[in-house]
Amino acid sequence: MAKASSDRNTIDLFGKSPGRPRTQPLTRKDQLKINKRAQREKEKAQGLKRLELIIEQDIIDKLDKLCEINGLKRAEWLTLQINKSLDKPKSARSKK
């Protein structure tokens, strides 16, 4: 089936579809997957390790309040608390 170039009533059968051209050949799901993998590799190169905790919601709420007060992220606050507890003198820990 041929289309005459002067035919303006027929849908353009051979041209590009209307609309914005695709700028990324991958789907959004695939883009997110690739970006997440790159983020994990970057964190690994920085010497970071992922940690998953399962704790009650009220504890999370309290942690979030503490983080908000101190202007820190959860991971930063937990790291700070662990370092503080390790830096305490051993005599103070043994009295408990």
Side-chain angles (χ1 to χ4, degrees):
M1 173 180 194
K3 176 184 168 283
S5 60
S6 61
D7 185 4
R8 298 194 180 256
N9 295 326
T10 307
I11 298 173
D12 188 2
L13 300 173
F14 306 108
K16 294 181 180 180
S17 60
R20 184 174 173 215
R22 290 182 67 164
T23 56
Q24 178 61 258
L26 300 174
T27 64
R28 184 68 182 144
K29 183 179 177 183
D30 292 335
Q31 290 176 37
L32 292 173
K33 191 175 180 181
I34 290 170
N35 289 341
K36 193 64 175 175
R37 182 181 298 134
Q39 180 184 359
R40 284 193 308 264
E41 289 173 1
K42 180 181 171 186
E43 289 171 349
K44 187 176 180 181
Q46 293 174 344
L48 301 174
K49 185 86 173 172
R50 289 193 167 270
L51 173 69
E52 182 178 345
L53 297 175
I54 300 174
I55 56 177
E56 296 174 0
Q57 184 62 45
D58 62 325
I59 301 298
I60 293 173
D61 295 339
K62 290 175 184 177
L63 175 61
D64 288 341
K65 279 185 184 178
L66 287 169
C67 292
E68 187 177 331
I69 290 169
N70 293 302
L72 299 171
K73 294 180 182 178
R74 287 179 185 169
E76 294 170 337
W77 190 88
L78 289 169
T79 302
L80 184 70
Q81 295 306 312
I82 291 169
N83 287 332
K84 274 185 184 179
S85 67
L86 289 174
D87 291 341
K88 286 183 182 177
K90 290 185 179 182
S91 61
R93 280 189 262 163
S94 62
K95 289 180 182 177
K96 291 181 181 178

